[in-house]
Amino acid sequence: MGYRSTLKRSAILLLLATALLGSLIIGITIGAVFIPPAEIANILLSHIPGLGGGLGTNRLPEHDIIIMTMRFPRVILAGLVGAGLALAGATFQGLFRNPMADPYVIGVSSGAALGAVLSIMIHPAWGIPMRFGIPVFAFVFAIITIALVYNLARVGGKVPIMTLLLAGIAINTILSAVESLCLYFSGEQLHQIVFWLMGGFSGASWDYVFMFLPYGIFGAAIIFVFARELNALLLGEESAQHLGVEVERVKRYLLMAAALLTGACVSVSGMIAFVGLVIPHIVRMLFGSDHRILLPAVALTGATFLLLADSASRVLIAPSELPVGIITALVGGPFFIFLLRRQKNALF
Amino acid sequence: MIFDILGITCTYGATPVLQDASLQIHTSDMVGIVGPNGSGKSTLLRAMSRVLQPLHGKVMLEEEDIYKVPATQIAKKMAVVVQEQSLSFPFTVRDLIMMGRIPHMKRFASEGRLDIGIVEQAMDLTDTTRLADRQVNELSGGEKQRVLLARALAQEPKILLLDEPTSYLDLNYQIEIMQLLAKLRRQYGITIIMVLHDLNLASRYCDYLVLIKQGTIHAIGPPQHVITADMIKDVYGCEIKVEQFDLAAPPYILFHNDDHRAVKAVRPDWVHVVGGGGSGGGLLRSLVKAGWNVSIGVVNVADSDWDEANRLGVSIIEAHPFSGLGMEEARRNRDMMNKADFTILAGAAFGMGNLLNLECVIAEAERGGRVVVIDNPAIITRDYTGGEATRLYKQLLDSGAHRVNNEWEAVRMIEGERP
């Protein structure tokens, strides 16, 4: 079994990585302006140091700008956020042993959203550039929220999953109310706020990618380290403890990691629905519940899915753009219902 | 000594559920924790399994405080099978059992040949090999229990803690699991500690029983000392009868037929039936239905009366199948008649093998005991001893036994004498 399953695992991951690469190429190639694939390859190669300015010469400078400052960072960011949300979703579902959990379940996203809304509102008065104001505010508020929820849920030295969920719902409600209040008084900025809340990558840039990376990598690394513990936790907390898992500590690390990841995702892309809920489900149905394969597979699939969704959002009503959250929800929702109908009793 | 529990007190919130409990368990012991619902037996088990840290006191496992060493270190020595395990996610049985290897494996290691071998052995022992590729959320209760036991065994534990391992199982699996546990103890020297509901199973399989009453340890000792009518009345508050068929056998609890709190126990209500070959079956049913405590002897194992007696939960003095009864059984038969309020001789056939039964009844009648003889069918037709049985039968009727024509008359007769 060991050898065979290792082989199977590698084959699955290789397949998913290939799919991701394919969607990356699609994402870079399509857009409002048509740029031939050969030219794109040339442009990309010309930016690799040491190649001395690339192989071909037929590169338009404006195409270089479109690729390097718009499409390339955008697909990278979409991929990273897709992977992050899906990974956070899988982690929350494993921790809560509940298939309905998603990255937004304990209120991190509401915190981030409120931060973003505040940042947009104070912009005219304070003059903080929104490109940086939104992600920084969103991230800081996300972290404050998770700290608040965690401490509210703590009973003695333990954090029971049930109280955590309830605390999350309570904080979520309060934050959403405050956010609605802000929206109500937002006046001119309303459209901007609503657009941000719907989620998307139209503002993507390398700055966003670099803002995301440290938290994204850190959060994902912690989650990968505890894949085995997530498996054991599926048996229930006491049984995991019996298998030598220090349950409370592992839970704390995983919660913080998933919240960090979610916060980082929401700050750079707004609230993108369904990726974190549906992707872990689909992957679990295809490859089983073993987190050692589930987690990397979820990350690759999430990245691929959001990348393709974002590509669709750019071309469906070109030259205008749809918020990607609408597409993920419109595609993810019906698919989720289909899965529910097919496997009524074996979802988790 | 493998486990040393030193005066532990456990609470849920402010309510103490276990108070100042101390217990020593030696290597390869098979220990049963028994007691009424809510007495704290599962709490004791949880405190021992490193999930419920006691407020006071210590739990020492091989001279180490289990709450002061890393969980993994404990998990290498001790495995736990809990009662209500949620298995609602798509894992195969093999993958689930493989989780038992977690404490032994390095963080990023894949399962090696050693791990696979151990898992296969665990599946073999628990008869779960053919379930290996099934999904755990599709298993029946009994299969689930065996798979969980296999997972525990994959941990290669020195100590196995089980919370009511037989509670969801059919009778055949209850016995199978208990025998498997006994075998694990015998072959691998595993120390087994389990919470059990069924006192008779506990008595049959455990070396020691820990009887818990309202959060304190009420008694510790071999089943003979713990399963007594007084002790059970004291802890469970109900009247039962304890039968011990011989000194080496474990005590066995008999339940009265209907409500029997205190009042009835003082009335003479014990009938001993001498039968065999199906002659006593109807009588046993009538007596049990009328609320009598009934015993029967001596019958051969697998005789139709023996079957019926077992079905009714009647206590039995038994002899090996197809063999005559010996002096030891006869002595116990006499003993029962002596203690019983009435002895009824059913219309059994007599051969040389069971002639001793007849002699015992004569002795009882001559002693002055109340004996009822169902004289039907005629003794001549069921005498396979060449006249010896008929001679003894006459002697019996002459020595003061009451003669009746059928089992209903017999029951009516003793009911009439019932105070």
Side-chain angles (χ1 to χ4, degrees):
Chain A
M1 177 209 161
Y3 172 70
R4 241 184 51 228
S5 71
T6 314
L7 202 68
K8 198 178 128 199
R9 206 173 290 173
S10 316
I12 290 171
L13 294 184
L14 197 67
L15 192 79
L16 293 176
T18 313
L20 177 58
L21 195 67
S23 56
L24 259 171
I25 293 169
I26 294 172
I28 292 188
T29 313
I30 64 172
V33 179
F34 177 76
I35 305 172
E39 191 184 345
I40 294 174
N42 259 329
I43 292 169
L44 290 180
L45 287 172
S46 74
H47 285 273
I48 297 173
L51 278 183
L55 307 168
T57 45
N58 55 335
R59 310 193 303 270
L60 295 176
E62 56 267 37
H63 285 178
D64 189 292
I65 290 169
I66 290 176
I67 296 297
M68 290 316 291
T69 64
M70 295 166 74
R71 288 194 199 166
F72 198 27
R74 182 168 180 155
V75 292
I76 295 290
L77 192 67
L80 286 173
V81 168
L85 286 176
L87 210 48
T91 307
F92 279 121
Q93 288 176 5
L95 269 179
F96 290 94
R97 284 184 298 287
N98 187 332
M100 297 318 287
D102 76 355
Y104 307 148
V105 69
I106 50 171
V108 183
S109 52
S110 309
L114 183 61
V117 169
L118 284 176
S119 155
I120 295 170
M121 287 187 70
I122 61 172
H123 170 248
W126 294 26
I128 300 170
M130 274 201 285
R131 301 193 39 74
F132 299 102
I134 293 177
V136 170
F137 266 68
F139 189 70
V140 169
F141 270 73
I143 298 302
I144 293 173
T145 309
I146 181 65
L148 198 64
V149 170
Y150 184 84
N151 283 301
L152 269 178
R154 195 158 55 185
V155 180
K158 296 184 173 183
V159 180
I161 288 300
M162 207 55 193
T163 49
L164 192 68
L165 266 173
L166 291 173
I169 290 170
I171 294 292
N172 226 331
T173 312
I174 296 169
L175 292 179
S176 298
V178 177
E179 190 189 305
S180 299
L181 198 69
C182 291
L183 278 174
Y184 188 74
F185 290 111
S186 61
E188 291 170 17
Q189 283 113 6
L190 181 65
H191 181 257
Q192 216 170 354
I193 291 174
V194 171
F195 189 75
W196 186 89
L197 285 177
M198 283 179 184
F201 299 98
S202 50
S205 70
W206 288 115
D207 301 329
Y208 276 23
V209 171
F210 294 128
M211 263 187 260
F212 175 89
L213 270 180
Y215 306 108
I217 290 175
F218 185 63
I222 290 177
I223 291 171
F224 279 118
V225 164
F226 290 112
R228 209 174 63 162
E229 279 78 359
L230 271 171
N231 280 350
L233 278 169
L234 282 185
L235 298 175
E237 291 186 9
E238 268 191 26
S239 293
Q241 183 81 44
H242 294 147
L243 288 173
V245 175
E246 299 282 10
V247 170
E248 286 304 320
R249 207 172 66 202
V250 168
K251 234 161 62 181
R252 195 159 59 231
Y253 291 156
L254 282 172
L255 268 176
M256 292 306 159
L260 199 64
L261 205 49
T262 309
C265 288
V266 176
S267 343
V268 295
S269 65
M271 305 256 277
I272 297 174
F274 264 102
V275 181
L277 177 65
V278 176
I279 297 296
H281 266 294
I282 296 169
V283 176
R284 196 178 286 112
M285 281 174 196
L286 293 176
F287 308 126
S289 299
D290 185 347
H291 284 81
R292 289 173 300 177
I293 173 89
L294 183 70
L295 293 177
V298 149
L300 290 170
T301 315
T304 308
F305 176 72
L306 198 51
L307 236 165
L308 290 176
D310 180 54
S311 304
S313 80
R314 279 184 286 150
V315 295
L316 279 179
I317 55 163
S320 196
E321 267 192 35
L322 273 175
V324 70
I326 293 178
I327 293 180
T328 54
L330 277 181
V331 174
F335 189 59
F336 192 49
I337 292 169
F338 164 72
L339 289 176
L340 272 172
R341 299 292 305 172
R342 217 188 46 171
Q343 278 184 277
K344 255 181 233 156
N345 20 356
L347 259 182
F348 209 69
Chain B
M1 197 188 322
I2 195 156
F3 245 124
D4 195 0
I5 292 148
L6 301 162
I8 57 168
T9 297
C10 295
T11 55
Y12 289 124
T15 351
V17 277
L18 197 63
Q19 276 178 344
D20 197 26
S22 292
L23 178 64
Q24 279 83 43
I25 290 165
H26 294 268
T27 308
S28 301
D29 273 354
M30 192 143 164
V31 181
I33 302 172
V34 294
N37 290 334
S39 58
K41 42 191 203 301
S42 290
T43 305
L44 175 60
L45 201 78
R46 292 182 72 214
M48 291 166 77
S49 68
R50 202 186 181 277
V51 292
L52 182 72
Q53 185 158 17
L55 202 63
H56 308 292
K58 280 185 199 165
V59 180
M60 308 292 285
L61 176 64
E62 293 186 319
E63 264 106 70
E64 282 175 321
D65 186 337
I66 61 168
Y67 289 94
K68 288 194 176 143
V69 293
T72 318
Q73 201 176 316
I74 299 299
K76 282 179 187 168
K77 293 181 191 171
M78 179 166 76
V80 187
V81 177
V82 295
Q83 197 188 352
E84 280 166 46
Q85 174 79 67
S86 69
L87 296 177
S88 51
F89 41 83
F91 264 110
T92 63
V93 166
R94 190 196 308 273
D95 287 345
L96 183 86
I97 298 173
M98 192 55 92
M99 283 196 200
R101 299 304 300 159
I102 288 179
H104 294 275
M105 283 161 60
K106 294 220 164 60
R107 178 164 290 283
F108 293 108
S110 298
E111 300 83 21
R113 193 171 294 163
L114 176 74
D115 302 304
I116 292 164
I118 288 164
V119 165
E120 273 168 9
Q121 198 192 354
M123 289 197 286
D124 197 38
L125 274 169
T126 49
D127 191 23
T128 49
T129 311
R130 72 201 153 74
L131 304 175
D133 296 314
R134 292 262 300 277
Q135 299 288 315
V136 289
N137 44 354
E138 294 164 3
L139 299 178
S140 75
E143 289 168 341
K144 216 179 254 187
Q145 197 68 30
R146 284 183 292 142
V147 167
L148 290 172
L149 183 57
R151 195 206 63 204
L153 292 179
Q155 276 174 260
E156 295 180 289
K158 288 185 190 174
I159 303 133
L160 196 53
L161 303 187
L162 305 102
D163 194 355
E164 296 193 21
T166 58
S167 55
Y168 293 116
L169 303 186
D170 290 338
L171 188 62
N172 54 331
Y173 279 131
Q174 286 187 15
I175 293 169
E176 209 175 287
I177 288 273
M178 294 307 276
Q179 277 173 347
L180 174 59
L181 293 174
K183 180 177 161 189
L184 290 170
R185 185 270 285 271
R186 203 167 55 237
Q187 283 190 355
Y188 304 95
I190 298 179
T191 309
I192 294 171
I193 302 156
M194 54 193 157
V195 167
L196 285 170
H197 234 114
D198 186 326
L199 291 173
N200 285 328
L201 271 185
S203 161
R204 171 84 179 74
Y205 287 97
C206 295
D207 310 318
Y208 283 92
L209 297 182
V210 179
L211 180 61
I212 300 192
K213 179 191 179 185
Q214 290 166 8
T216 55
I217 294 182
H218 190 73
I220 304 176
Q224 286 85 343
H225 295 168
V226 175
I227 307 281
T228 63
D230 286 346
M231 201 78 94
I232 299 301
K233 181 161 189 236
D234 197 4
V235 173
Y236 288 82
C238 63
E239 301 279 349
I240 51 113
K241 198 140 88 174
V242 175
E243 223 29 276
Q244 189 168 6
F245 297 126
D246 59 62
L247 282 175
Y252 191 86
I253 290 179
L254 301 170
F255 298 98
H256 291 229
N257 195 45
D258 48 11
D259 188 31
H260 42 255
R261 280 168 197 274
V263 188
K264 248 184 178 173
V266 297
R267 291 166 55 182
D269 61 351
W270 183 358
V271 183
H272 184 73
V273 173
V274 177
S279 61
L283 181 62
L284 290 182
R285 276 193 298 277
S286 308
L287 287 169
V288 167
K289 211 188 261 175
W292 293 87
N293 286 316
V294 187
S295 56
I296 185 167
V298 178
V299 289
N300 291 108
V301 171
D303 180 286
S304 55
D305 278 352
W306 181 86
D307 279 343
E308 188 63 15
N310 263 320
R311 198 181 66 73
L312 294 167
V314 160
S315 56
I316 309 169
I317 302 168
E318 58 191 27
H320 292 298
F322 308 113
S323 63
L325 38 127
M327 292 312 290
E328 174 56 25
E329 286 98 14
R331 188 191 59 71
R332 277 166 45 211
N333 205 9
R334 279 286 299 120
D335 201 40
M336 284 277 205
M337 291 176 194
N338 240 316
K339 287 182 193 154
D341 301 296
F342 297 97
T343 301
I344 300 180
L345 176 65
F350 289 100
M352 292 317 270
N354 66 347
L355 211 52
L356 264 176
N357 268 348
L358 197 50
E359 287 176 16
C360 290
V361 181
I362 292 169
E364 175 65 12
E366 286 175 345
R367 185 186 71 85
R370 288 177 284 191
V371 176
V372 179
V373 177
I374 300 174
D375 189 17
N376 182 32
I379 183 66
I380 305 286
T381 64
R382 46 191 169 100
D383 180 358
Y384 298 95
T385 59
E388 178 68 4
T390 311
R391 193 185 61 73
L392 287 171
Y393 198 77
K394 290 220 169 78
Q395 186 187 337
L396 171 62
L397 291 176
D398 290 342
S399 57
H402 300 277
R403 202 191 66 84
V404 295
N405 290 316
N406 55 47
E407 61 201 50
W408 296 282
E409 278 185 28
V411 175
R412 256 208 311 277
M413 172 152 207
I414 61 170
E415 284 285 328
E417 285 192 42
R418 205 176 187 178

